[in-house]
Amino acid sequence: MSSSSSCAVSPSLRSELFSSTSVRFIAPVRLAQYRSKSVINRRAFAFKGIVASGVSVVSSSLVTEPVAGLERLPFKPEGYNYWTWRGHKIHYVMEGEGLPIVLIHGFGASAFHWRYNIPELAKNYKVYALDLLGFGWSEKAIIEYDAVVWRDQVVDFLREIVQEPAVVVGNSLGGFTALMSAVELPEQVTGVVLLNSAGQFGNANGEPNQPEESVLQKYILKPLKEIFQRVVLGFLFWQSKQPARIESVLKSVYINSSNVDDYLVESITRPAADPNAREVYYRLMSRFMLNQSTYTLDSCLSKLRCPLLLLWGDLDPWVGPTKANRIKEFYPQTTLVNLQAGHCPHDEVPDLVNKALMNWLSSLTPEVSLQTQ
């Protein structure tokens, strides 16, 4: 989701991830329309997080048939590989040999969201897919979450586990994480791929200075707001446990919902068994998701030094093709592939994503080879 296996509640309620300059959280009342039709629904992201925090309601047998003609990563309830990062347990999948490719999931999802991409890419490349801290099979650490935490996690993963030049690929929140990681570690990231990435372009007029908190705001209103947020988010967390709600939320992010199966649902709901999941969800939604305005696409793109591929689901109800076109205009070293899919094209139309990604990688290989000599 993460992230990603993310889900909309109402297409009329949209605001971009990392775009908020307010700490207000209002639910379940209806909010007014925001200024841009292409921005992500903040409340939709809230429900994405809910899916990640829900309780497993499906059998682990996962009898659903895979997409015809495509190999699927076997689902392992115990996970694949683990790495200790800053004292925290991090889960990742590794398959294949060749040029390394690092796959980063979106809000509420996990490495298993790349189930149809890993086996195909691993035929020609060394593929890694990791779970970001707080998501999937990685530890539900009780920390203050920030985009920099995930950036640092991916950078250290590249340095310690991958240990050679690599291409980073990310969907939604994972896309923005991939972009930030490439800027932080330019000597090791040889290409970036974004699938319906999170992030926003900065305000050309600059952000207004925030007024200093009054005593009333700091000691009375702020604590009351946090209590209210916990009550509301606690209710949403509980609501996510309802099986019908989980299925509905997942289907809302896929234009073609045929891939919303037991495998996908369990890969998102199983992490909820962790006793820290509820607190992580609260911190993500109240402190991270609603208060981000520091990091922008243009600030990252202005520092990027490698080729960029956009694999964009043009039917995404939150992040439409307008953003992809603007990224391409801002960063000339961009290749754009438009797909008839929603927010998670890698799982909705995996055959098209795999083909487009491998075509781009094959054109990138000569340049990468020169860098590694």
Side-chain angles (χ1 to χ4, degrees):
M1 297 214 145
S2 219
S3 224
S4 48
S5 309
S6 326
C7 8
V9 175
S10 167
S12 65
L13 308 177
R14 299 173 182 173
S15 64
E16 184 74 37
L17 177 61
F18 307 135
S19 68
S20 174
T21 57
S22 167
V23 294
R24 291 175 297 172
F25 184 85
I26 303 174
V29 298
R30 185 178 179 88
L31 305 181
Q33 287 269 359
Y34 282 81
R35 60 184 178 272
S36 170
K37 291 184 179 180
S38 65
V39 294
I40 300 179
N41 174 351
R42 182 179 293 127
R43 207 173 154 211
F45 261 104
F47 274 90
K48 301 177 196 177
I50 294 164
V51 172
S53 306
V55 170
S56 179
V57 293
V58 280
S59 166
S60 60
S61 60
L62 301 176
V63 296
T64 334
E65 291 297 323
V67 173
L70 288 180
E71 185 179 350
R72 185 171 67 180
L73 179 74
F75 184 87
K76 292 186 179 181
E78 70 279 10
Y80 278 77
N81 307 289
Y82 289 90
W83 163 61
T84 300
W85 177 70
R86 297 183 179 179
H88 302 300
K89 189 177 180 181
I90 302 298
H91 172 252
Y92 69 97
V93 178
M94 180 181 69
E95 288 196 2
E97 294 295 335
L99 171 71
I101 302 172
V102 179
L103 307 175
I104 309 170
H105 63 79
F107 196 97
S110 70
F112 288 107
H113 205 195
W114 304 97
R115 54 186 172 162
Y116 290 115
N117 314 108
I118 294 171
E120 187 65 25
L121 294 173
K123 293 176 182 178
N124 297 291
Y125 302 97
K126 189 169 187 176
V127 182
Y128 298 87
L130 78 160
D131 289 352
L132 297 176
L133 187 67
F135 295 106
W137 274 243
S138 287
E139 184 177 334
K140 308 302 176 289
I142 305 301
I143 64 169
E144 296 305 315
Y145 285 91
D146 184 272
V148 171
V149 171
W150 296 312
R151 179 203 68 187
D152 291 349
Q153 177 191 339
V154 173
V155 166
D156 288 345
F157 184 83
L158 287 163
R159 286 173 172 159
E160 297 178 22
I161 302 298
V162 180
Q163 297 184 346
E164 57 182 315
V167 171
V168 289
V169 182
N171 168 237
S172 194
L173 173 64
F176 196 73
T177 302
L179 189 60
M180 292 183 69
S181 302
V183 170
E184 184 71 12
L185 195 63
E187 67 274 16
Q188 194 171 340
V189 177
T190 58
V192 175
V193 182
L194 305 180
L195 298 93
N196 294 66
S197 178
Q200 62 155 355
F201 282 89
N203 182 353
N205 298 322
E207 294 290 343
N209 293 327
Q210 295 295 321
E212 187 176 345
E213 284 186 319
S214 67
V215 173
L216 176 66
Q217 290 172 322
K218 185 174 183 179
Y219 295 106
I220 298 179
L221 298 181
K222 189 173 181 179
L224 286 175
K225 180 192 67 182
E226 291 180 359
I227 293 171
F228 176 70
Q229 287 176 337
R230 280 196 177 274
V231 171
V232 172
L233 291 171
F235 169 74
L236 297 179
F237 181 92
W238 170 83
Q239 189 182 48
S240 72
K241 300 177 183 181
Q242 312 310 313
R245 184 60 185 161
I246 292 174
E247 184 178 0
S248 172
V249 163
L250 286 169
K251 286 183 176 180
S252 70
V253 78
Y254 287 66
I255 301 304
N256 177 1
S257 61
S258 60
N259 278 6
V260 177
D261 53 19
D262 289 352
Y263 182 120
L264 178 60
V265 172
E266 183 155 3
S267 74
I268 295 171
T269 57
R270 181 173 282 269
D274 192 292
N276 288 344
R278 182 188 180 105
E279 178 63 22
V280 169
Y281 168 70
Y282 171 75
R283 291 179 179 229
L284 286 169
M285 299 315 307
S286 65
R287 305 180 189 182
F288 170 70
M289 297 298 293
L290 301 182
N291 298 318
Q292 292 298 308
S293 59
T294 305
Y295 316 105
T296 62
L297 285 169
D298 43 308
S299 65
C300 289
L301 291 170
S302 64
K303 301 172 186 175
L304 191 65
R305 296 293 180 267
C306 63
L308 175 64
L309 171 65
L310 305 179
L311 299 176
W312 218 265
D314 285 350
L315 305 180
D316 186 343
W318 309 318
V319 191
T322 301
K323 179 191 277 189
N325 293 331
R326 189 171 179 188
I327 292 174
K328 190 175 189 303
E329 181 180 345
F330 188 95
Y331 191 72
Q333 205 177 348
T334 298
T335 301
L336 172 60
V337 177
N338 300 96
L339 300 166
Q340 294 296 295
H343 192 60
C344 308
H346 58 294
D347 193 57
E348 187 176 346
V349 287
D351 51 339
L352 299 180
V353 167
N354 291 340
K355 182 179 179 180
L357 178 54
M358 287 191 287
N359 285 342
W360 182 78
L361 287 169
S362 64
S363 68
L364 188 69
T365 303
E367 182 177 337
V368 173
S369 298
L370 289 174
Q371 294 185 34
T372 56
Q373 289 178 358

